[in-house]
Amino acid sequence: ETGVTQTPRHLVMGMTNKKSLKCEQHLGHNAMYWYKQSAKKPLELMFVYSLEERVENNSVPSRFSPECPNSSHLFLHLHTLQPEDSALYLCASSHSGRDNTEAFFGQGTRLTVV
Amino acid sequence: QKEVEQNSGPLSVPEGAIASLNCTYSDRGSQSFFWYRQYSGKSPELIMFIYSNGDKEDGRFTAQLNKASQYVSLLIRDSQPSDSATYLCAVMDSSYKLIFGSGTRLLVRP
């Protein structure tokens, strides 16, 4: 248990659905990340929030919409996804603006788009 | 584009041998370096971190950092079949983004 919790663990959705992924941490961290990991591909950084402000958006399609209401919670809102969006979505958290800080991952949400 | 480079492998070693995993990074301003282990279908698990030049040992694992050469490595002594996994190098860059390499797959043969 890393202290970073993601829900749901598994999600199957149709291309016309709208769903949200949730990430929660109670480690006192102030930076949170969304990563995408497709089969046989490296981890891709999608979004970074530092002090609840988005500081990175790696050319992610607009069908992915992040939300960070406070430093403990991070959401990824999904709508009109494509089958190629099927992947493991990982949330991580760390301290921002401070050297010597570890980052911890949640267990991930395995997303399948049908 | 800030990058973290790793050899994808697989790196195959016999049980009991030393496995050596290497990583280079492009952002000279990077301060924090991490090694994660990822089993198939699971999320990455932090196994080592290093911030200062030199070696850091934790059990069978030793992380080595050389900031001048922008190089970080992980040594696994007395490798076990249970060490077979993908090892991800990660670097906290100068803008505090955590950037991952593509990972090296390690196979430890019984």
Side-chain angles (χ1 to χ4, degrees):
Chain A
E1 186 62 49
T2 62
V4 181
T5 304
Q6 287 185 245
T7 54
R9 294 291 303 277
H10 300 274
L11 178 62
V12 179
M13 60 186 288
M15 289 190 284
T16 58
N17 290 160
K18 290 185 181 181
K19 297 286 184 184
S20 296
L21 309 184
K22 180 183 177 183
C23 178
E24 186 173 351
Q25 60 89 12
H26 296 289
L27 299 170
H29 290 165
N30 57 12
M32 298 185 78
Y33 309 76
W34 278 118
Y35 289 88
K36 175 185 177 183
Q37 190 173 41
S38 304
K40 301 189 190 304
K41 287 189 178 180
L43 278 165
E44 301 171 51
L45 180 61
M46 299 176 73
F47 301 105
V48 180
Y49 276 83
S50 174
L51 300 171
E52 300 160 37
E53 180 181 335
R54 190 190 308 180
V55 296
E56 179 75 9
N57 178 346
N58 266 356
S59 302
V60 179
S62 59
R63 57 186 183 269
F64 295 92
S65 174
E67 179 190 0
C68 186
N70 55 63
S71 59
S72 298
H73 295 87
L74 183 66
F75 295 90
L76 187 62
H77 304 300
L78 316 171
H79 65 97
T80 59
L81 294 192
Q82 304 298 310
E84 60 265 29
D85 296 322
S86 299
L88 180 67
Y89 288 85
L90 291 159
C91 172
S93 71
S94 72
H95 280 290
S96 172
R98 195 180 94 176
D99 292 339
N100 304 342
T101 176
E102 301 97 81
F104 296 101
F105 281 87
Q107 294 301 307
T109 295
R110 174 71 61 186
L111 174 67
T112 303
V113 181
V114 296
Chain B
Q1 178 73 18
K2 297 170 184 173
E3 293 183 346
V4 178
E5 301 283 345
Q6 292 182 258
N7 188 318
S8 61
L11 172 66
S12 181
V13 301
E15 185 174 355
I18 295 175
S20 177
L21 305 161
N22 305 313
C23 173
T24 59
Y25 59 95
S26 62
D27 183 2
R28 281 199 170 273
S30 301
Q31 296 294 326
S32 308
F33 307 87
F34 308 88
W35 283 100
Y36 288 82
R37 176 175 61 200
Q38 188 175 26
Y39 294 110
S40 181
K42 303 292 186 182
S43 63
E45 170 194 9
L46 180 66
I47 53 173
M48 286 285 291
F49 57 88
I50 186 167
Y51 310 128
S52 304
N53 275 330
D55 294 1
K56 178 182 178 182
E57 188 174 318
D58 183 1
R60 295 187 296 113
F61 299 97
T62 299
Q64 299 173 317
L65 175 61
N66 184 325
K67 289 187 179 180
S69 300
Q70 296 175 240
Y71 175 90
V72 58
S73 64
L74 179 70
L75 301 178
I76 306 175
R77 288 182 299 282
D78 188 23
S79 296
Q80 301 297 309
S82 59
D83 294 326
S84 298
T86 296
Y87 288 80
L88 300 166
C89 172
V91 174
M92 188 75 74
D93 70 14
S94 52
S95 53
Y96 298 101
K97 291 192 290 290
L98 189 60
I99 308 297
F100 282 83
S102 58
T104 298
R105 195 157 70 96
L106 173 66
L107 297 174
V108 181
R109 307 187 304 271

